[in-house]
Amino acid sequence: MRLPATSIAAIAFLTLVAVPPAFAEDEPDVDCKNPMTQYDMNVCSDRDYKEADKALNAQWAALKPIVKEWDESLKSLGMIASAEASLLKSQRAWIDYRDGQCDTEEASVQGGTMAPTIYSSCMAELTRKRTEELKSLAEGF
């Protein structure tokens, strides 16, 4: 089966526009303190999410050994150690929730130029909230 030339051209075009920058030097020069265009807002909201995700991962890394130590202390007392397994279960459920929620919010503007901003802003907001939840858990243990 042979594809028509227009199909091949469309696939080639989509491949070119769908490929993200490969190197940090390809990062757009956008002033996120004063975004002027929708493109700027899209770039800045993506950066905001990436920053929030780094903070979440750092908090996760800090919490895991605390929870593991808690479970070890429970085991030493002959009790059931379930904090680490419960934490992992809750994190997986939270990721599913976050992704579904942000997909839903983005769907309200799907196809529009502001869709990336809506999606990334949702991801950043929910990620920051989860980071605070993990901090509270760490303090509780």
Side-chain angles (χ1 to χ4, degrees), residues 45-117:
S45 65
D46 183 60
R47 287 179 186 168
D48 184 40
Y49 165 63
K50 287 176 182 172
E51 185 178 306
D53 191 52
K54 283 181 189 175
L56 174 75
N57 288 326
Q59 185 58 52
W60 177 261
L63 177 59
K64 290 253 324 178
I66 294 169
V67 171
K68 187 174 184 133
E69 184 179 318
W70 178 260
D71 273 352
E72 291 302 319
S73 68
L74 289 175
K75 285 179 191 175
S76 70
L77 297 171
M79 300 174 80
I80 298 171
S82 62
E84 189 174 15
S86 296
L87 176 64
L88 185 58
K89 180 181 177 182
S90 71
Q91 189 66 10
R92 287 178 177 156
W94 174 80
I95 289 169
D96 283 343
Y97 163 75
R98 178 203 62 192
D99 292 352
Q101 179 66 26
C102 294
D103 286 344
T104 302
E105 288 187 24
E106 180 189 33
S108 69
V109 292
Q110 186 175 23
T113 58
M114 67 187 290
T117 294

